[in-house]
Amino acid sequence: MTEDQGRRRAGGRAARQAARAHDTTVHPPFLTRTMAPFEVLSEEGLALIEQNAETILEEVGLDFRGDADALRLLREAGADVDGERVRFPRGMCRRIVQASAPHEFWQVARNPARNVHIGGMSTVFAPAYGSPFVRDLDTGRRYGTIEDFRNFVKLAYLTPYLHHSGGTICEPVDLPVNKRHLDMVYSHMRWSDKPFMGSVTQPQRAQDTVDMARILFGADFLEENVVLISLINANSPLVWDSVMLGAARNYALANQATIITPFILAGAMSPVTAAAVCAQTLAEALGCMTFVQLVRPGAPVVLGSFASSISMQSGAPTFGTPEPALVLYAMAALARRLGVPFRSGGSLCGSKIPDAQAAYESAATLQPTVLAGVNFVLHAAGWLEGGLAMGYEKFILDVDQCGMMGVFIKGIDLSENGQALDAIRENGPGQHFLGTAHTLANFETAFYRSSVADNNSYEQWLEDGSQDAAQRANAVWKRMLAEYQAPPIDPGIDEALVDFIARRKASFPDSDV
Amino acid sequence: MTEDQGRRRAGGRAARQAARAHDTTVHPPFLTRTMAPFEVLSEEGLALIEQNAETILEEVGLDFRGDADALRLLREAGADVDGERVRFPRGMCRRIVQASAPHEFWQVARNPARNVHIGGMSTVFAPAYGSPFVRDLDTGRRYGTIEDFRNFVKLAYLTPYLHHSGGTICEPVDLPVNKRHLDMVYSHMRWSDKPFMGSVTQPQRAQDTVDMARILFGADFLEENVVLISLINANSPLVWDSVMLGAARNYALANQATIITPFILAGAMSPVTAAAVCAQTLAEALGCMTFVQLVRPGAPVVLGSFASSISMQSGAPTFGTPEPALVLYAMAALARRLGVPFRSGGSLCGSKIPDAQAAYESAATLQPTVLAGVNFVLHAAGWLEGGLAMGYEKFILDVDQCGMMGVFIKGIDLSENGQALDAIRENGPGQHFLGTAHTLANFETAFYRSSVADNNSYEQWLEDGSQDAAQRANAVWKRMLAEYQAPPIDPGIDEALVDFIARRKASFPDSDV
């Protein structure tokens, strides 16, 4: 290597890293879209799906299992209850939800600069949720631990492109099932200052989450403010079970938000066709949102939709295919018509590793997520293998895409600086713009800068070791964790949280259910 | 491995392969979108860009270099010609283009079942164009040859998801520069029956293409039918050179279509801001489309836009970033307002290899391409390394995404079968749908089947060799080439083509310019 090449290379690298380290861009705490959503169905098409959802609620009904109080509430509100089967007169659910569920709301973080708006033109990105396994390039695939969990909380805290700390980012399989929620919730509270999600795996664990939030925020504060948002999944088709109903009830009683989400692998939990998936999703969500509004009118609910196709050969779930994208767009429109915030999408994929399959599939989910106008995006980063594994490198790659979405949704700057007519006038035909005043004035912020893309020459890329995107991402997450510094917390509050957890853990034996 | 596992595995594989081999799906010769395009600018915003384009045309003007006849035509039509600088009175270009350029047209293929409609709600996918290098997993990156060129013609012929054979799919660097166009055009004519593009690297090479098309289709046929579409790139900023003008003229004189495409790396060939890229692109395209309409009123022109961001550190072009996506959406709307078909997008990326970067970037281009309603999509498959390399595996991976787009743009089936209310009625809560009559009746066509995605279990994937998507794609293109059979051609026509090429090649010495 000649001296010149050495200088050029060191200079280029150092300059790039310095530019990133001193990135002074102010990142918003959530995205505010500026464009009307993409629509795949006409008004008539959407109305047809709504009518079909009402038909399902009226004729088939939903099972509310193992929760006598839910059945009582629904009966008193006018539903026809036969054993655990609940049938709803046409329009009943929609009327009850529209009467009291908020159109939009704020979730408050312990750092108020991190508060997120949920609904309307806002979009909030949260990490993936629920994987038993984690994967990184160094150790491959293995069961998740509380250390992995903390690592992902820290990474989500550090990136400006995720707005939320999420919930069960990965299962800390090294901790007992019946106590790990305490450590997970504490990790969100302690190692991040972004908003987060609560436990739902038992009603009591939801209550523990609420109790810890009361310590962190003050008990009175929760009555007036949403500080928790939690994921309530249906047992599709058409079943809500006692665990989910109990968790939803405890959050609603504390005036905290829930995301009411039918989880549908089309062909298994619903018919294979998109119109049927939409009608069934809407029916299931309406039923449970109605229950929540009966528990506490005004408790925030988000309409969720998780829909994937399956391989009709093996029955395995498939992601990033066109059919779930159509469902996503239609469900977003249905949520807008209902008047509640919408959760769906993310960076979903079936691939086991962060390869081209993973990226195509994730992009084919995240683009519709943003263009449909999803308000709360779980699984925005890290998801691999149909949700079975949380990937360190995948997380970094996905977060980069989330960053690009933040630029995209701002739209085109039509200011005089954006139009740049004078620059074109001054430059004239045949002259490049690299050194013009307009370029120099705008170059720092002109284009999104990826943390993982390699746009160097082929020769430079060879010289740098012919790395693929996953290998570069590996270096990024390690550097981030090495540089992590915890956000400050009131020592008295921290002590009270640690004390609460210790007392709860001592009060019942470990168990793996 | 137990006997059971062996049976299951062999059965699954064989069944999958058989299902693909006997795929009886009828694939359309081009896509017909069913949804309104996504819009990033309001009417007022689009009108502002149009006004700025008129200002550029009026105040700054365009250089038409080395083509006295072009200057004469433009002067006679009312432009202000000063040396090679041409300034256009406001509205002149738009008026001339709108007076005679067709809104939409058909490109005829030698197999009429392959004819493509260009414009309106139609979308046509064509392979990538112009790479000096090719890449495959076996040999890495190397200069392209005429064998590579033929291979890609064959692969594009074989896949139902590309509708067009494209043009200079890769440069056959083993042939002399001044004669290779003859072999390229012949390859499209002989080894495919899909529509294709002509040579533009010299006006005479465009004429050779027209002459060969007259042999293939009959001379009279060309007067009434478009059988060639060819790529005319601006020398941005604001320059049209004699080579491109000469090629465009020869195609227009033969009533053949041209794609008039400003090629802009923002920050180098234009200001960095999206609104400026759009105004400059529109101005440049309007100027050359006006020239084409003056050469032959009614000759089909497509408004093209190739816009990328650049790394403001290294000056390298970058792809799949949010800024070019915004330009793409805006330019598509501007083309609709002008009333001519639109070309842009594709599966663009800066990555050197078919990794996650390549896939994210390609998807971040292809999704906007489809949602913006692009009519002619060059670079839909194979593009690597900013267009420097044509990738065999990338081609297969991209084509799979094109296939998914074909499903997506059909939208949601709202027929009774699509609504599937009876299936939900009959099934009831808590019962899976895998064996229901509706699922069985629809499972063959319910979901898009990827040729390269792996959705098997983790354990099965390990057993299959832990392959990534590129490794699976490697097997796919090899199998396709092994199974390729050339479409039939009239032996007399083939002989005439071969004879024409031999005579042309003998008539002047080889040269590498």
Side-chain angles (χ1 to χ4, degrees), chain A residues 52 59 237 268 273 316 323 352 355 357 360 398 418-419 425 430 433 447-448 454-456 458 469 472, chain B residues 52 59 141 237 268 273 316 323 352 355 357 360 398 418-419 425 430 433 447-448 454-456 458 469 472:
Chain A
N52 289 351
E59 293 183 23
T273 45
E323 299 85 4
K352 284 78 183 165
D355 65 347
Q357 178 184 342
Y360 277 118
D398 289 341
Q419 294 178 60
R425 280 194 187 97
F433 285 77
F447 302 123
Y448 176 82
D454 182 296
N455 295 302
N456 292 328
Y458 179 70
R472 291 189 297 274
Chain B
N52 289 351
E59 294 184 22
R141 182 200 204 239
T273 45
E323 298 85 4
K352 284 76 183 166
D355 65 347
Q357 177 184 341
Y360 277 118
D398 289 341
Q419 295 177 61
R425 280 194 187 98
F433 285 77
F447 302 124
Y448 176 82
D454 182 297
N455 295 302
N456 292 328
Y458 179 71
R472 290 189 297 275

Short mmCIF file of all heavy atoms in Angstrom, two decimals, chain A residues 52 59 237 268 273 316 323 352 355 357 360 398 418-419 425 430 433 447-448 454-456 458 469 472, chain B residues 52 59 141 237 268 273 316 323 352 355 357 360 398 418-419 425 430 433 447-448 454-456 458 469 472:
data_model
loop_
_atom_site.label_atom_id
_atom_site.label_comp_id
_atom_site.label_asym_id
_atom_site.label_seq_id
_atom_site.Cartn_x
_atom_site.Cartn_y
_atom_site.Cartn_z
N ASN A 52 -69.10 -8.24 7.22
CA ASN A 52 -68.77 -9.65 7.48
C ASN A 52 -68.31 -9.86 8.92
O ASN A 52 -68.64 -10.88 9.54
CB ASN A 52 -67.71 -10.14 6.50
CG ASN A 52 -68.26 -10.29 5.08
OD1 ASN A 52 -69.47 -10.19 4.87
ND2 ASN A 52 -67.38 -10.51 4.13
N GLU A 59 -73.53 -14.21 14.23
CA GLU A 59 -73.97 -15.59 13.96
C GLU A 59 -73.08 -16.64 14.61
O GLU A 59 -73.57 -17.64 15.12
CB GLU A 59 -74.00 -15.84 12.45
CG GLU A 59 -75.05 -15.02 11.74
CD GLU A 59 -75.10 -15.36 10.25
OE1 GLU A 59 -74.66 -16.47 9.88
OE2 GLU A 59 -75.56 -14.51 9.47
N PRO A 237 -58.85 -19.35 16.03
CA PRO A 237 -59.99 -18.54 15.66
C PRO A 237 -61.01 -18.33 16.79
O PRO A 237 -61.41 -19.28 17.44
CB PRO A 237 -60.64 -19.35 14.53
CG PRO A 237 -60.29 -20.76 14.83
CD PRO A 237 -58.93 -20.72 15.46
N ALA A 268 -54.47 -21.76 8.90
CA ALA A 268 -54.52 -22.54 10.14
C ALA A 268 -55.55 -21.93 11.09
O ALA A 268 -56.53 -22.57 11.46
CB ALA A 268 -53.15 -22.57 10.80
N THR A 273 -57.97 -16.92 2.68
CA THR A 273 -58.16 -15.73 1.84
C THR A 273 -58.09 -14.44 2.65
O THR A 273 -58.55 -14.38 3.80
CB THR A 273 -59.50 -15.82 1.11
OG1 THR A 273 -60.50 -16.25 2.03
CG2 THR A 273 -59.42 -16.83 -0.03
N ALA A 316 -45.67 -24.44 7.78
CA ALA A 316 -44.83 -23.45 8.45
C ALA A 316 -45.29 -22.04 8.11
O ALA A 316 -45.74 -21.79 6.99
CB ALA A 316 -43.38 -23.63 8.02
N GLU A 323 -49.58 -11.61 0.46
CA GLU A 323 -50.91 -11.71 1.04
C GLU A 323 -51.02 -11.01 2.39
O GLU A 323 -51.96 -10.25 2.63
CB GLU A 323 -51.34 -13.18 1.13
CG GLU A 323 -51.42 -13.90 -0.22
CD GLU A 323 -50.10 -14.48 -0.73
OE1 GLU A 323 -49.10 -14.39 0.02
OE2 GLU A 323 -50.06 -15.00 -1.85
N LYS A 352 -33.71 -17.97 8.87
CA LYS A 352 -33.03 -18.30 10.12
C LYS A 352 -31.87 -17.37 10.39
O LYS A 352 -31.38 -17.30 11.53
CB LYS A 352 -32.50 -19.75 10.07
CG LYS A 352 -33.59 -20.81 10.24
CD LYS A 352 -34.38 -21.00 8.98
CE LYS A 352 -35.51 -21.98 9.12
NZ LYS A 352 -36.46 -21.86 7.98
N ASP A 355 -29.79 -12.96 6.16
CA ASP A 355 -29.34 -13.02 4.78
C ASP A 355 -30.30 -12.24 3.88
O ASP A 355 -31.14 -11.47 4.36
CB ASP A 355 -29.23 -14.49 4.34
CG ASP A 355 -30.59 -15.20 4.33
OD1 ASP A 355 -31.57 -14.64 4.89
OD2 ASP A 355 -30.69 -16.30 3.76
N GLN A 357 -32.79 -13.37 2.16
CA GLN A 357 -34.19 -13.73 2.43
C GLN A 357 -34.75 -12.91 3.58
O GLN A 357 -35.83 -12.34 3.49
CB GLN A 357 -34.34 -15.23 2.76
CG GLN A 357 -35.79 -15.61 3.08
CD GLN A 357 -35.98 -17.07 3.52
OE1 GLN A 357 -35.11 -17.91 3.30
NE2 GLN A 357 -37.11 -17.35 4.14
N TYR A 360 -35.25 -9.20 2.35
CA TYR A 360 -36.40 -9.02 1.44
C TYR A 360 -37.71 -9.15 2.20
O TYR A 360 -38.62 -8.35 2.03
CB TYR A 360 -36.38 -10.07 0.33
CG TYR A 360 -35.49 -9.77 -0.84
CD1 TYR A 360 -34.43 -10.59 -1.17
CD2 TYR A 360 -35.74 -8.67 -1.66
CE1 TYR A 360 -33.62 -10.34 -2.26
CE2 TYR A 360 -34.93 -8.42 -2.76
CZ TYR A 360 -33.87 -9.25 -3.05
OH TYR A 360 -33.08 -9.00 -4.14
N ASP A 398 -32.12 -3.99 10.86
CA ASP A 398 -33.51 -3.51 10.85
C ASP A 398 -33.60 -2.06 11.32
O ASP A 398 -34.36 -1.26 10.76
CB ASP A 398 -34.38 -4.38 11.76
CG ASP A 398 -34.64 -5.76 11.20
OD1 ASP A 398 -34.46 -5.96 9.99
OD2 ASP A 398 -35.04 -6.64 11.98
N GLY A 418 -35.06 23.66 -0.54
CA GLY A 418 -35.36 22.37 -1.15
C GLY A 418 -35.49 22.47 -2.66
O GLY A 418 -35.02 21.60 -3.40
N GLN A 419 -36.10 23.52 -3.15
CA GLN A 419 -36.28 23.69 -4.60
C GLN A 419 -34.94 23.95 -5.30
O GLN A 419 -34.73 23.52 -6.43
CB GLN A 419 -37.22 24.85 -4.88
CG GLN A 419 -38.65 24.61 -4.41
CD GLN A 419 -39.52 25.84 -4.68
OE1 GLN A 419 -39.68 26.28 -5.80
NE2 GLN A 419 -40.06 26.41 -3.61
N ARG A 425 -29.67 27.48 -11.53
CA ARG A 425 -29.41 28.66 -12.35
C ARG A 425 -27.91 28.97 -12.41
O ARG A 425 -27.35 29.23 -13.46
CB ARG A 425 -30.11 29.89 -11.74
CG ARG A 425 -31.58 30.00 -12.04
CD ARG A 425 -32.05 31.42 -11.67
NE ARG A 425 -33.51 31.53 -11.80
CZ ARG A 425 -34.36 31.42 -10.79
NH1 ARG A 425 -33.92 31.17 -9.57
NH2 ARG A 425 -35.66 31.54 -11.00
N GLY A 430 -23.91 20.86 -17.75
CA GLY A 430 -22.64 20.19 -17.87
C GLY A 430 -21.68 20.35 -16.71
O GLY A 430 -20.58 19.80 -16.73
N PHE A 433 -22.25 19.41 -9.40
CA PHE A 433 -22.74 20.20 -8.26
C PHE A 433 -21.97 19.91 -6.98
O PHE A 433 -22.37 20.40 -5.91
CB PHE A 433 -24.23 19.89 -8.02
CG PHE A 433 -25.16 20.53 -9.01
CD1 PHE A 433 -25.31 20.01 -10.29
CD2 PHE A 433 -25.90 21.65 -8.66
CE1 PHE A 433 -26.17 20.59 -11.21
CE2 PHE A 433 -26.77 22.24 -9.57
CZ PHE A 433 -26.91 21.71 -10.85
N PHE A 447 -28.59 13.43 2.90
CA PHE A 447 -29.00 12.05 2.69
C PHE A 447 -28.87 11.26 3.97
O PHE A 447 -27.93 11.46 4.75
CB PHE A 447 -28.14 11.39 1.59
CG PHE A 447 -28.20 12.11 0.28
CD1 PHE A 447 -27.04 12.57 -0.33
CD2 PHE A 447 -29.42 12.35 -0.35
CE1 PHE A 447 -27.08 13.23 -1.54
CE2 PHE A 447 -29.47 13.01 -1.56
CZ PHE A 447 -28.30 13.46 -2.16
N TYR A 448 -29.80 10.34 4.17
CA TYR A 448 -29.69 9.41 5.28
C TYR A 448 -28.36 8.66 5.21
O TYR A 448 -27.97 8.20 4.15
CB TYR A 448 -30.85 8.41 5.24
CG TYR A 448 -30.73 7.37 6.33
CD1 TYR A 448 -31.18 7.66 7.62
CD2 TYR A 448 -30.15 6.13 6.09
CE1 TYR A 448 -31.05 6.72 8.64
CE2 TYR A 448 -30.02 5.19 7.11
CZ TYR A 448 -30.47 5.50 8.37
OH TYR A 448 -30.35 4.57 9.37
N ASP A 454 -22.34 -0.73 2.90
CA ASP A 454 -21.02 -0.43 2.34
C ASP A 454 -21.24 0.10 0.93
O ASP A 454 -21.76 -0.61 0.06
CB ASP A 454 -20.16 -1.69 2.31
CG ASP A 454 -18.76 -1.39 1.76
OD1 ASP A 454 -18.64 -1.00 0.58
OD2 ASP A 454 -17.81 -1.53 2.52
N ASN A 455 -20.84 1.37 0.73
CA ASN A 455 -20.96 1.98 -0.59
C ASN A 455 -19.60 2.34 -1.15
O ASN A 455 -19.52 3.12 -2.11
CB ASN A 455 -21.86 3.21 -0.50
CG ASN A 455 -23.28 2.83 -0.13
OD1 ASN A 455 -23.91 2.05 -0.83
ND2 ASN A 455 -23.76 3.33 0.99
N ASN A 456 -18.56 1.79 -0.58
CA ASN A 456 -17.23 2.05 -1.11
C ASN A 456 -17.04 1.36 -2.45
O ASN A 456 -17.88 0.56 -2.88
CB ASN A 456 -16.18 1.53 -0.13
CG ASN A 456 -16.18 2.34 1.15
OD1 ASN A 456 -16.45 3.54 1.13
ND2 ASN A 456 -15.88 1.69 2.25
N TYR A 458 -15.50 -1.29 -5.11
CA TYR A 458 -15.28 -2.73 -5.00
C TYR A 458 -13.89 -3.02 -4.44
O TYR A 458 -13.73 -3.88 -3.56
CB TYR A 458 -15.44 -3.36 -6.39
CG TYR A 458 -15.22 -4.84 -6.43
CD1 TYR A 458 -16.15 -5.71 -5.86
CD2 TYR A 458 -14.11 -5.39 -7.06
CE1 TYR A 458 -15.96 -7.07 -5.89
CE2 TYR A 458 -13.91 -6.75 -7.10
CZ TYR A 458 -14.85 -7.59 -6.52
OH TYR A 458 -14.65 -8.95 -6.56
N ALA A 469 -23.22 -7.60 4.99
CA ALA A 469 -23.90 -6.65 5.88
C ALA A 469 -23.96 -7.17 7.31
O ALA A 469 -23.81 -6.41 8.27
CB ALA A 469 -25.31 -6.36 5.35
N ARG A 472 -20.72 -6.53 9.15
CA ARG A 472 -20.58 -5.14 9.57
C ARG A 472 -21.50 -4.85 10.76
O ARG A 472 -21.14 -4.12 11.68
CB ARG A 472 -20.88 -4.20 8.40
CG ARG A 472 -19.81 -4.26 7.30
CD ARG A 472 -20.01 -3.16 6.26
NE ARG A 472 -21.25 -3.29 5.54
CZ ARG A 472 -21.42 -4.03 4.44
NH1 ARG A 472 -20.41 -4.73 3.94
NH2 ARG A 472 -22.59 -4.09 3.84
N ASN B 52 -41.15 24.97 -11.71
CA ASN B 52 -39.69 25.06 -11.62
C ASN B 52 -39.02 24.45 -12.86
O ASN B 52 -38.00 24.96 -13.33
CB ASN B 52 -39.18 24.40 -10.34
CG ASN B 52 -39.54 25.21 -9.10
OD1 ASN B 52 -40.00 26.35 -9.21
ND2 ASN B 52 -39.33 24.63 -7.93
N GLU B 59 -35.09 29.79 -18.39
CA GLU B 59 -33.99 30.68 -17.98
C GLU B 59 -32.62 30.07 -18.21
O GLU B 59 -31.69 30.75 -18.63
CB GLU B 59 -34.13 31.05 -16.51
CG GLU B 59 -35.36 31.89 -16.22
CD GLU B 59 -35.41 32.31 -14.76
OE1 GLU B 59 -34.35 32.32 -14.10
OE2 GLU B 59 -36.52 32.59 -14.28
N ARG B 141 -16.63 -12.34 -9.08
CA ARG B 141 -16.88 -11.24 -10.00
C ARG B 141 -15.87 -11.29 -11.14
O ARG B 141 -14.67 -11.47 -10.92
CB ARG B 141 -16.71 -9.93 -9.23
CG ARG B 141 -16.97 -8.65 -10.01
CD ARG B 141 -16.27 -7.56 -9.25
NE ARG B 141 -16.75 -6.22 -9.43
CZ ARG B 141 -15.96 -5.23 -9.89
NH1 ARG B 141 -14.73 -5.48 -10.28
NH2 ARG B 141 -16.43 -4.00 -9.93
N PRO B 237 -25.87 17.41 -15.66
CA PRO B 237 -27.06 18.27 -15.74
C PRO B 237 -27.25 18.95 -17.09
O PRO B 237 -26.31 19.53 -17.64
CB PRO B 237 -26.76 19.34 -14.66
CG PRO B 237 -25.26 19.40 -14.58
CD PRO B 237 -24.78 18.01 -14.89
N ALA B 268 -24.19 15.33 -7.39
CA ALA B 268 -23.17 15.40 -8.45
C ALA B 268 -23.79 16.01 -9.71
O ALA B 268 -23.36 17.05 -10.19
CB ALA B 268 -22.61 14.02 -8.74
N THR B 273 -31.15 18.15 -3.15
CA THR B 273 -32.51 18.09 -2.61
C THR B 273 -33.50 17.48 -3.61
O THR B 273 -33.41 17.68 -4.83
CB THR B 273 -32.97 19.50 -2.23
OG1 THR B 273 -32.61 20.41 -3.28
CG2 THR B 273 -32.29 19.95 -0.94
N ALA B 316 -19.58 8.16 -3.72
CA ALA B 316 -20.11 6.94 -4.34
C ALA B 316 -21.63 6.99 -4.39
O ALA B 316 -22.26 7.51 -3.46
CB ALA B 316 -19.65 5.72 -3.55
N GLU B 323 -34.36 9.04 0.03
CA GLU B 323 -34.48 10.21 -0.83
C GLU B 323 -34.84 9.84 -2.27
O GLU B 323 -35.76 10.45 -2.85
CB GLU B 323 -33.20 11.04 -0.76
CG GLU B 323 -32.88 11.61 0.63
CD GLU B 323 -32.13 10.64 1.54
OE1 GLU B 323 -31.77 9.54 1.07
OE2 GLU B 323 -31.90 10.98 2.72
N LYS B 352 -22.11 -5.24 -3.03
CA LYS B 352 -21.30 -5.98 -4.00
C LYS B 352 -21.80 -7.42 -4.15
O LYS B 352 -21.45 -8.10 -5.12
CB LYS B 352 -19.83 -6.02 -3.57
CG LYS B 352 -19.09 -4.70 -3.80
CD LYS B 352 -19.45 -3.67 -2.77
CE LYS B 352 -18.81 -2.33 -2.97
NZ LYS B 352 -19.45 -1.29 -2.13
N ASP B 355 -26.37 -10.00 -0.40
CA ASP B 355 -26.52 -10.16 1.05
C ASP B 355 -27.72 -9.35 1.53
O ASP B 355 -28.56 -8.91 0.73
CB ASP B 355 -25.24 -9.71 1.75
CG ASP B 355 -24.97 -8.22 1.56
OD1 ASP B 355 -25.62 -7.59 0.68
OD2 ASP B 355 -24.10 -7.67 2.27
N GLN B 357 -27.76 -6.35 2.76
CA GLN B 357 -27.75 -4.98 2.24
C GLN B 357 -28.38 -4.93 0.85
O GLN B 357 -29.23 -4.09 0.57
CB GLN B 357 -26.31 -4.43 2.16
CG GLN B 357 -26.27 -3.01 1.55
CD GLN B 357 -24.86 -2.46 1.36
OE1 GLN B 357 -23.92 -2.94 1.97
NE2 GLN B 357 -24.74 -1.45 0.52
N TYR B 360 -32.27 -5.43 1.25
CA TYR B 360 -32.97 -4.27 1.81
C TYR B 360 -33.02 -3.14 0.79
O TYR B 360 -34.04 -2.49 0.59
CB TYR B 360 -32.26 -3.75 3.06
CG TYR B 360 -32.60 -4.46 4.34
CD1 TYR B 360 -31.61 -5.13 5.06
CD2 TYR B 360 -33.88 -4.44 4.86
CE1 TYR B 360 -31.89 -5.76 6.26
CE2 TYR B 360 -34.17 -5.07 6.06
CZ TYR B 360 -33.17 -5.73 6.75
OH TYR B 360 -33.45 -6.36 7.93
N ASP B 398 -34.22 -11.49 -7.02
CA ASP B 398 -35.05 -10.35 -7.44
C ASP B 398 -36.31 -10.81 -8.17
O ASP B 398 -37.40 -10.27 -7.97
CB ASP B 398 -34.27 -9.42 -8.37
CG ASP B 398 -33.18 -8.64 -7.64
OD1 ASP B 398 -33.25 -8.53 -6.41
OD2 ASP B 398 -32.27 -8.13 -8.32
N GLY B 418 -63.53 -15.49 -1.72
CA GLY B 418 -62.55 -14.70 -1.00
C GLY B 418 -63.05 -14.34 0.40
O GLY B 418 -62.28 -14.36 1.37
N GLN B 419 -64.31 -14.02 0.52
CA GLN B 419 -64.86 -13.65 1.84
C GLN B 419 -64.91 -14.85 2.78
O GLN B 419 -64.72 -14.71 3.98
CB GLN B 419 -66.27 -13.08 1.68
CG GLN B 419 -66.32 -11.77 0.92
CD GLN B 419 -67.75 -11.30 0.75
OE1 GLN B 419 -68.47 -11.06 1.72
NE2 GLN B 419 -68.18 -11.19 -0.50
N ARG B 425 -68.24 -19.75 9.40
CA ARG B 425 -69.48 -20.23 10.04
C ARG B 425 -69.37 -21.70 10.40
O ARG B 425 -69.71 -22.12 11.50
CB ARG B 425 -70.67 -20.07 9.07
CG ARG B 425 -71.25 -18.68 8.99
CD ARG B 425 -72.62 -18.73 8.28
NE ARG B 425 -73.13 -17.39 8.04
CZ ARG B 425 -73.03 -16.75 6.88
NH1 ARG B 425 -72.43 -17.34 5.84
NH2 ARG B 425 -73.53 -15.54 6.74
N GLY B 430 -62.02 -21.92 17.89
CA GLY B 430 -61.08 -22.89 18.45
C GLY B 430 -60.69 -24.04 17.54
O GLY B 430 -59.88 -24.87 17.92
N PHE B 433 -58.23 -24.52 10.57
CA PHE B 433 -58.82 -24.51 9.23
C PHE B 433 -58.04 -25.36 8.23
O PHE B 433 -58.33 -25.33 7.04
CB PHE B 433 -58.88 -23.07 8.69
CG PHE B 433 -59.96 -22.22 9.31
CD1 PHE B 433 -59.82 -21.68 10.58
CD2 PHE B 433 -61.13 -21.94 8.61
CE1 PHE B 433 -60.81 -20.89 11.15
CE2 PHE B 433 -62.13 -21.15 9.16
CZ PHE B 433 -61.97 -20.63 10.43
N PHE B 447 -51.42 -18.88 -1.65
CA PHE B 447 -50.29 -18.02 -1.30
C PHE B 447 -49.21 -18.12 -2.36
O PHE B 447 -48.95 -19.20 -2.91
CB PHE B 447 -49.70 -18.43 0.06
CG PHE B 447 -50.70 -18.38 1.18
CD1 PHE B 447 -50.94 -19.50 1.96
CD2 PHE B 447 -51.40 -17.21 1.44
CE1 PHE B 447 -51.87 -19.45 3.00
CE2 PHE B 447 -52.32 -17.16 2.48
CZ PHE B 447 -52.56 -18.28 3.25
N TYR B 448 -48.55 -17.02 -2.59
CA TYR B 448 -47.39 -17.01 -3.49
C TYR B 448 -46.35 -18.00 -2.97
O TYR B 448 -46.05 -18.02 -1.77
CB TYR B 448 -46.78 -15.60 -3.55
CG TYR B 448 -45.52 -15.57 -4.39
CD1 TYR B 448 -45.61 -15.48 -5.76
CD2 TYR B 448 -44.27 -15.67 -3.80
CE1 TYR B 448 -44.47 -15.49 -6.54
CE2 TYR B 448 -43.12 -15.68 -4.58
CZ TYR B 448 -43.22 -15.60 -5.95
OH TYR B 448 -42.09 -15.60 -6.72
N ASP B 454 -36.54 -20.23 2.36
CA ASP B 454 -36.60 -21.45 3.16
C ASP B 454 -37.49 -21.19 4.36
O ASP B 454 -37.18 -20.32 5.18
CB ASP B 454 -35.19 -21.86 3.63
CG ASP B 454 -35.23 -23.16 4.43
OD1 ASP B 454 -35.86 -23.19 5.51
OD2 ASP B 454 -34.65 -24.15 3.97
N ASN B 455 -38.61 -21.91 4.43
CA ASN B 455 -39.53 -21.76 5.55
C ASN B 455 -39.65 -23.04 6.35
O ASN B 455 -40.58 -23.20 7.13
CB ASN B 455 -40.91 -21.32 5.03
CG ASN B 455 -40.85 -19.95 4.41
OD1 ASN B 455 -40.46 -18.98 5.06
ND2 ASN B 455 -41.18 -19.86 3.14
N ASN B 456 -38.70 -23.93 6.15
CA ASN B 456 -38.71 -25.16 6.94
C ASN B 456 -38.34 -24.88 8.39
O ASN B 456 -37.93 -23.77 8.74
CB ASN B 456 -37.70 -26.16 6.34
CG ASN B 456 -38.15 -26.65 4.99
OD1 ASN B 456 -39.35 -26.77 4.73
ND2 ASN B 456 -37.20 -26.92 4.12
N TYR B 458 -36.09 -25.00 11.76
CA TYR B 458 -34.66 -24.77 11.97
C TYR B 458 -33.88 -26.07 11.82
O TYR B 458 -32.82 -26.12 11.19
CB TYR B 458 -34.47 -24.17 13.37
CG TYR B 458 -33.03 -23.90 13.73
CD1 TYR B 458 -32.34 -22.87 13.11
CD2 TYR B 458 -32.38 -24.66 14.70
CE1 TYR B 458 -31.01 -22.62 13.44
CE2 TYR B 458 -31.07 -24.41 15.03
CZ TYR B 458 -30.39 -23.38 14.40
OH TYR B 458 -29.08 -23.13 14.73
N ALA B 469 -29.86 -17.60 1.36
CA ALA B 469 -30.72 -17.43 0.19
C ALA B 469 -29.90 -17.47 -1.10
O ALA B 469 -30.34 -18.01 -2.12
CB ALA B 469 -31.49 -16.11 0.31
N ARG B 472 -29.17 -21.01 -2.19
CA ARG B 472 -30.34 -21.66 -2.81
C ARG B 472 -30.58 -21.10 -4.21
O ARG B 472 -30.92 -21.84 -5.14
CB ARG B 472 -31.57 -21.47 -1.92
CG ARG B 472 -31.51 -22.27 -0.62
CD ARG B 472 -32.83 -22.24 0.13
NE ARG B 472 -33.22 -20.91 0.56
CZ ARG B 472 -32.82 -20.33 1.70
NH1 ARG B 472 -32.04 -20.98 2.53
NH2 ARG B 472 -33.25 -19.12 2.00
#
